[in-house]
Amino acid sequence: MRLKLVSLLIILSGLSACSTTEKPTKNSDNFSNSANALKNQANSALSIYQLAQNRQGADKIQLLYSARDAAVNEQSWSLLEKVCGELELTPSVDQIQNRLYIAFAQKQQNKNAQALVILQSLDGQLKQPEHFTWHQFLTASVYASQDFAKRAAPYFFAASESATKNNIDIPQLNQNLWDNLKKLSSYTLERFNRGSVIQQGWVNLALYHQVYAGSAVELDQAINNWLRRYPGHPAKVVLPKQDELVNDLTPVIIERLVVLLPQSGANERLGDALKAGVLAALDQQSINETIFIDENSDVDEITAKIAQIKPDFVVGPLLKANIDKLANAQVLIDIPTMHLNTFDGERLSLQHYFFALNPEHEVQQALEHFLAQGYQKPMLLAPNNANGQRLVDYFNLQWQRYSETKPQIGFYNSNQDMPDTITSLLEVDKSKERIKTVKTLFKQEVENETRSRSDIDAIYILGDAIETRLIKPYLDVNVSTFADRIPLYASSKSHSSQIDRTDKGDLDGLYFTELPWMLKSQIKQHNLRQQYETLWPEHADISQRLFAMAYDAVTILHDIKQLSLSPGNQFNGLSGKLSVNTSGHIERTLDWAQYTNRRIKAVQLKTQRPVPLFMQSASDIYITE
């Protein structure tokens, strides 16, 4: 039991972070060095805490964080509660995270009622996935410690789902969840056998253990069936080590493939581009039979065809409405499926995957590059429509996980609205007002030049190709010549191979993310590209990108299990470096390119997974006052 507790404490002790509002200054660095020097003189959590009482400001906060870490490692729960109570009085502290520490300290002292009051007070405030996951786990643990197994179960399920989706590691979560399930009756388990595929996987495994408890052979068979239905489920860690992992890593064998694409209606053109990509990929695959079905067909017709064909794998549908339609009818629930879009509902099966040209992938990649470069104040320019607002909201939500500085946001309603939006964001309009005021004070001509704000360290454009070509010159003329050149970035929407043939515009210096298939220097399948351009020389950009996605969707099927069980592994495709996250979604890492001297060249930009604020240790903390 002690080893389990220590394992949990090691992780929890690494969950120290504080709020930062600006880049670390020399003063904050000096505070940090001073605090570290003092901390090295202490040999216990109590002594560090006592040192903190004689300090002020950032130096004191730094020592309190160190005392908190030490108190967790020493299991000094009353002192941990005391330290956190003092930190709670400091506005710059991550208050949600700090209150989770207090709840944890109270739970360890069997102050369960007090811990629950704190945890319940945080409902509705848990925006960061780390906050939510730990909140659900702690709430479940409080109930479980009081033998309220039924009440603890929903919180355990929510913690498991969030941890799986967001790759958050809580060492004892799965074992504690399993121990809690074993206390529930089969009747109660049946009532929990709904909701997400993660929850159903846990419940079905517990039911199998109850139903077949007296028959090792039947239990073994049931678990093997469970493993086939729930590959990659977090409950696998509680199973005895068997040879099933070797079986899980064997390549997928596909004799019969069904492809669901729009072959009628308004999206038929998109379906044609996807079909071309599928057929091109099939030339390289050993799949005996491929059947195309119009995804816009009646659900009963599709169900009948699927039942007759008995495919080993399904690719599609493309349209979200059709994914929802087949999900509601549970047509594909027991068939491995690669959907060609994202899915907003609950994942029906761990054999279901989702592949889309998701712009959020590019936003995430840009964000990780900004953090790797140390940028603190990026500025985003986006159209004032649903897509622009969605991507900005996504950037903001993710940015808050890693930095508490706020990006500058600018929405433009039209092309005519762009100049005013940019001059206002860069505060050039204020500079012009100051110049006007100075001119009124002097009769003679006054030499002047507008100045833009100096705290913006990167600009990210989320407009399309035409909008980007209008925005870039406005930025060039409005950034002060006295300031360092601000690096400009954009997504693949800014790049159009068709427009580039006649006009690259004044895009010099602009970085953007793009599919390798769309960058001549990055294409490795030269013969395939030549055949494509011979057959479809006038294809639109979206058709080219869909071709690449469909080609990768079929090519990746052979290795999908290995990728899903090893989220760090990547597949080099036409649409980017592909990996499978724990929720079954294909994530893409695109190539970086830059406009240079009216040409496009591939570039390597530093990008790395950042550490969330909630997972940073006290030694990484910077305080500004």
Side-chain angles (χ1 to χ4, degrees), residues 364-380:
Q364 182 71 29
Q365 186 172 337
L367 178 148
E368 291 177 1
H369 169 66
F370 294 167
L371 291 167
Q373 289 296 105
Y375 297 152
Q376 292 288 312
K377 198 75 171 180
M379 184 173 86
L380 276 64

Side-chain angles (χ1 to χ4, degrees), residues 286-510:
S286 57
I287 297 175
N288 291 336
E289 186 178 6
T290 302
I291 301 97
F292 289 87
I293 299 176
D294 185 357
E295 66 176 77
N296 291 322
S297 301
D298 181 82
V299 66
D300 291 334
E301 182 182 347
I302 294 176
T303 302
K305 288 182 178 180
I306 293 289
Q308 179 184 5
I309 297 167
K310 294 182 173 57
D312 301 304
F313 220 107
V314 171
V315 172
L318 169 71
L319 306 177
K320 281 193 172 185
N322 289 330
I323 295 176
D324 292 339
K325 175 179 70 177
L326 297 182
N328 291 334
Q330 298 196 342
V331 176
L332 305 173
I333 189 168
D334 292 322
I335 305 172
T337 303
M338 175 72 74
H339 297 94
L340 298 178
N341 211 324
T342 57
F343 182 51
D344 299 326
E346 291 287 354
R347 187 183 181 191
L348 295 181
S349 168
L350 292 182
Q351 299 181 88
H352 285 192
Y353 306 93
F354 307 92
F355 188 6
L357 299 180
N358 196 336
E360 279 82 355
H361 296 157
E362 301 185 56
V363 172
Q364 182 71 29
Q365 186 172 337
L367 178 148
E368 291 177 1
H369 169 66
F370 294 167
L371 291 167
Q373 289 296 105
Y375 297 152
Q376 292 288 312
K377 198 75 171 180
M379 184 173 86
L380 276 64
L381 293 169
N384 192 15
N385 56 33
N387 287 332
Q389 291 173 356
R390 187 186 88 243
L391 294 179
V392 166
D393 289 345
Y394 178 84
F395 185 98
N396 268 329
L397 183 63
Q398 294 302 311
W399 185 262
Q400 290 169 16
R401 295 181 65 187
Y402 310 109
S403 172
E404 289 193 359
T405 62
K406 293 184 178 180
Q408 194 73 26
I409 308 298
F411 290 108
Y412 51 85
N413 294 303
S414 64
N415 296 345
Q416 292 72 31
D417 185 40
M418 288 178 185
D420 291 341
T421 301
I422 292 171
T423 55
S424 175
L425 283 171
L426 292 173
E427 298 182 356
V428 174
D429 53 348
K430 294 181 181 179
S431 177
K432 289 179 178 179
E433 284 296 321
R434 290 193 296 270
I435 291 171
K436 184 178 178 181
T437 301
V438 170
K439 281 185 174 182
T440 61
L441 299 176
F442 299 92
K443 293 182 179 180
Q444 66 269 32
E445 185 66 23
V446 176
E447 291 187 12
N448 64 85
E449 183 170 344
T450 57
R451 293 175 181 263
S452 59
R453 59 190 299 175
S454 59
D455 59 333
I456 299 296
D457 44 21
I459 297 176
Y460 190 33
I461 302 170
L462 290 168
D464 62 25
I466 294 175
E467 291 166 346
T468 303
R469 282 158 176 75
L470 293 172
I471 290 172
K472 174 68 164 53
Y474 290 140
L475 291 171
D476 289 340
V477 299
N478 281 290
V479 174
S480 171
T481 56
F482 297 100
D484 294 334
R485 184 172 181 177
I486 302 175
L488 303 181
Y489 300 87
S491 70
S492 61
K493 286 182 64 179
S494 70
H495 174 234
S496 169
S497 58
Q498 294 172 310
I499 296 177
D500 279 351
R501 291 176 187 172
T502 57
D503 177 28
K504 287 187 173 62
D506 188 13
L507 297 177
D508 192 64
L510 178 73

Side-chain angles (χ1 to χ4, degrees), residues 69-121:
D69 286 354
V72 171
N73 289 326
E74 295 171 14
Q75 303 178 36
S76 301
W77 309 127
S78 60
L79 178 59
L80 175 62
E81 188 176 358
K82 189 174 183 180
V83 171
C84 292
E86 193 157 342
L87 280 169
E88 196 171 13
L89 303 176
T90 306
S92 62
V93 167
D94 180 345
Q95 295 296 344
I96 295 176
Q97 174 243 33
N98 196 60
R99 290 184 68 76
L100 289 173
Y101 267 101
I102 295 174
F104 175 74
Q106 290 174 339
K107 171 189 170 296
Q108 296 303 122
Q109 298 172 83
N110 293 318
K111 299 179 181 178
N112 293 309
Q114 293 172 257
L116 281 176
V117 168
I118 288 180
L119 292 168
Q120 290 166 359
S121 73

